[in-house]
Amino acid sequence: MSWEVVIGLEIHAQLTTKSKIFSGASIAYGAEPNSQACAVDLGMPGMLPVVNHAVIGKGIALGIALNAELGKKQVFDRKNYFYPDLPKGYQTTQMDYPIVGKGYLDIDVDGETKRIGVTRAHLEEDAGKSNHGIVPGMTGIDLNRAGTPLLEIVSEPDLSSAQEAVAYARKMHELVTFLGICDGNMQEGSFRVDSNVSVRRPGEPLGTRAELKNINSFRFIEKAIEFEIERQIELIENGGQVVQETRLYDSETNTTRSMRTKEEANDYRYFPCPDLLPIHVSDEDIAAVRATMPELPGAKRARYVSELGLSEYDAGVLTSSRAMAEYFEALFEHTGSKDAKVCANWITSDLAGALNKAGLDISESPISEQMLAGMISRILDDTISGKIAKQVFEAMWKGEGSADEIIEAKGLKQITDSGAIEALVDEVLANNPSQVEAYKGGQEKMMGYFVGQIMKASGGQANPGQVNKILKEKLS
């Protein structure tokens, strides 16, 4: 008998504020352990939390982008549990009145679009971090992260495979980074994914789920879910039962292992936080947030295809991150908005390849939008050919100057004088009489040979279009 897989994701997106959700302590990454935890974060007696107003706007922006219900009334609750890196003995979160209600996110898998429901997204504070192995036989506790603002985004159990789960996580990552509410840095823990996985026979009730905790790469999310699916099916088919628990994924062994049994909601004894008043959001507040939101990636992709004539593939690559889209749009503007396809080609091929080889992000590119636009402008005005442009690009990457400076210094200007090109054509045809006879005898592939010889004779600087035109005239 076949099995059905049921998956729901809980994504923790760290918000891009400068300070914590209930205190003025910094959330900068990489500080010395316990140097950014103030008395409020530690839950010291008499300390009262104050909501960081910036987190409200960021939560509303996500709700708008997900076409979700917006929490015009929000209440913070205390979620009570013990853990060494939870200094207060409770986490301040939102239970019954979250900032974002039901919404959805569309994903594409194998050419099919599927709508995934979003149950809710709520604001909460992060816990600290337990560091194992730093001190032999002991666990170090770093409370710098305690109080860091998070949006926990909970999906409906609408995902049916590891591939769909990764597609959803990637799409949500794209969305929160485009909105600017999360930097999406998975290595630093800014975007963490918990996967709730269960299996069942077709037509049966939902099976018991296991939660795969805090996986910080899309590749590992897929591998962890695939392993967990196989583990649960094998367990059930051998007469065992799946236990509701939290499991950790080990990327070195590609296995999951039990961490702790999973609590139910009533185990946390939720109750409204007595130190924080309910928050009320007006229609004017929502309109103000909506007015500051950027164009969303889906709308941007559609515009690139319909208005700029780009392919679906190019539009997808150029909107893979907000930084990439901003680079493309600045480049297109600096070239006078003349040829979007040429701009897209240079970004998705040569620039992307160089960045990948150097391990750099588009925001770290040594070639600015203005510099690349200067080079593309010289292609469009026939100063250089596409082949010569690759030499110019390489020199710009090495920091040898602007396109114009490099073209002048290296003497790379394209030969466009028809008389000079005609002389080159005559010379090549005179030196290759047997190839000319072969062409006239029907071997049209010799045209490529002639073009290659002419370009070689010109040092690659003859205008290819003029070469082809004059060559065809001579041979006819």
Side-chain angles (χ1 to χ4, degrees), residues 226-420:
E226 286 175 344
F227 175 85
E228 184 59 23
I229 291 169
E230 292 179 9
R231 184 190 73 85
Q232 291 188 19
I233 291 174
E234 183 178 354
L235 180 64
I236 296 169
E237 288 183 342
N238 289 333
Q241 288 186 327
V242 177
V243 177
Q244 184 167 317
E245 61 182 345
T246 299
R247 298 180 70 85
L248 292 179
Y249 174 67
D250 186 332
S251 60
E252 293 185 2
T253 61
N254 191 34
T255 57
T256 64
R257 57 181 173 82
S258 181
M259 179 183 177
R260 60 174 180 265
T261 55
K262 183 65 178 174
E263 297 84 355
E264 299 287 354
N266 57 7
D267 293 324
Y268 291 117
R269 295 170 290 119
Y270 285 94
F271 64 85
C273 179
D275 294 334
L276 291 165
L277 292 172
I279 293 172
H280 295 275
V281 177
S282 67
D283 291 337
E284 291 74 20
D285 294 328
I286 295 170
V289 171
R290 192 185 297 272
T292 64
M293 289 174 61
E295 183 181 29
L296 296 180
K300 196 178 286 290
R301 273 191 289 274
R303 179 169 63 84
Y304 286 177
V305 172
S306 63
E307 295 183 15
L308 302 183
L310 297 181
S311 67
E312 291 280 357
Y313 173 79
D314 284 343
V317 173
L318 294 173
T319 55
S320 59
S321 73
R322 183 172 177 175
M324 180 74 83
E326 288 175 347
Y327 189 103
F328 166 71
E329 294 190 3
L331 175 63
F332 186 49
E333 182 181 346
H334 286 304
T335 57
S337 303
K338 292 179 181 176
D339 197 321
K341 181 61 179 174
V342 171
C343 294
N345 285 345
W346 277 97
I347 292 176
T348 59
S349 58
D350 294 75
L351 182 61
L355 291 169
N356 187 52
K357 186 176 179 181
L360 298 175
D361 185 75
I362 186 80
S363 60
E364 302 169 302
S365 172
I367 300 178
S368 68
E369 303 95 315
Q370 294 92 331
M371 291 174 66
L372 189 55
M375 188 197 77
I376 290 174
S377 295
R378 295 298 159 261
I379 299 173
L380 297 177
D381 67 14
D382 285 335
T383 298
I384 58 174
S385 65
K387 186 174 182 180
I388 294 173
K390 292 186 179 295
Q391 298 178 48
V392 177
F393 179 90
E394 187 175 339
M396 287 197 301
W397 184 269
K398 293 176 180 177
E400 295 180 19
S402 68
D404 286 340
E405 291 168 343
I406 292 164
I407 292 167
E408 188 66 34
K410 295 179 180 286
L412 296 176
K413 278 188 178 179
Q414 192 167 227
I415 299 171
T416 56
D417 179 77
S418 58

Side-chain angles (χ1 to χ4, degrees), residues 1-8 114 157-162 164 196-210 225-226 228-234 236-237 242:
M1 292 178 64
S2 61
W3 291 91
E4 287 183 352
V5 177
V6 181
I7 303 168
K114 182 175 181 179
D158 293 342
L159 301 159
S160 305
S161 68
E164 286 186 5
N196 292 288
V197 182
S198 66
V199 297
R200 65 177 175 183
R201 299 288 191 186
E204 291 187 355
L206 289 173
T208 302
R209 61 187 169 89
I225 291 174
E226 286 175 344
E228 184 59 23
I229 291 169
E230 292 179 9
R231 184 190 73 85
Q232 291 188 19
I233 291 174
E234 183 178 354
I236 296 169
E237 288 183 342
V242 177

Side-chain angles (χ1 to χ4, degrees), residues 21-191:
I21 187 168
F22 300 121
S23 79
S26 171
I27 63 169
Y29 182 79
E32 286 295 312
N34 299 306
S35 62
Q36 293 180 170
C38 71
V40 174
D41 307 326
L42 300 177
M44 293 295 183
M47 297 295 102
L48 293 175
V50 176
V51 176
N52 183 339
H53 187 264
V55 304
I56 305 299
K58 294 179 189 296
I60 291 171
L62 178 67
I64 294 171
L66 293 174
N67 300 289
E69 301 167 0
L70 300 177
K72 292 190 173 181
K73 176 187 177 182
Q74 299 161 41
V75 176
F76 283 99
D77 301 276
R78 290 185 178 180
K79 178 181 178 181
N80 298 275
Y81 65 97
F82 171 78
Y83 213 70
D85 55 22
L86 190 72
K88 302 175 187 177
Y90 62 85
Q91 179 189 35
T92 306
T93 183
Q94 294 177 329
M95 180 61 175
D96 295 323
Y97 297 93
I99 191 166
V100 176
K102 287 188 176 297
Y104 63 85
L105 187 68
D106 292 335
I107 63 170
D108 296 301
V109 178
D110 296 330
E112 298 286 329
T113 299
K114 182 175 181 179
R115 178 157 292 180
I116 307 302
V118 173
T119 309
R120 56 186 278 141
H122 55 268
L123 293 166
E124 64 184 20
E125 61 181 341
D126 205 349
K129 183 178 181 182
S130 298
N131 292 311
H132 308 288
I134 294 178
V135 180
M138 302 181 72
T139 295
I141 301 296
D142 181 6
L143 297 176
N144 281 348
R145 206 169 66 184
T148 295
L150 301 177
L151 258 178
E152 181 174 345
I153 309 161
V154 183
S155 83
E156 293 285 341
D158 293 342
L159 301 159
S160 305
S161 68
Q163 292 74 24
E164 286 186 5
V166 171
Y168 172 86
R170 285 187 181 277
K171 196 74 175 287
M172 191 65 75
H173 183 273
E174 174 189 82
L175 185 61
V176 296
T177 53
F178 250 89
L179 289 170
I181 65 175
C182 174
D183 66 20
N185 192 319
M186 299 181 80
Q187 285 68 41
E188 294 180 1
S190 299
F191 189 88

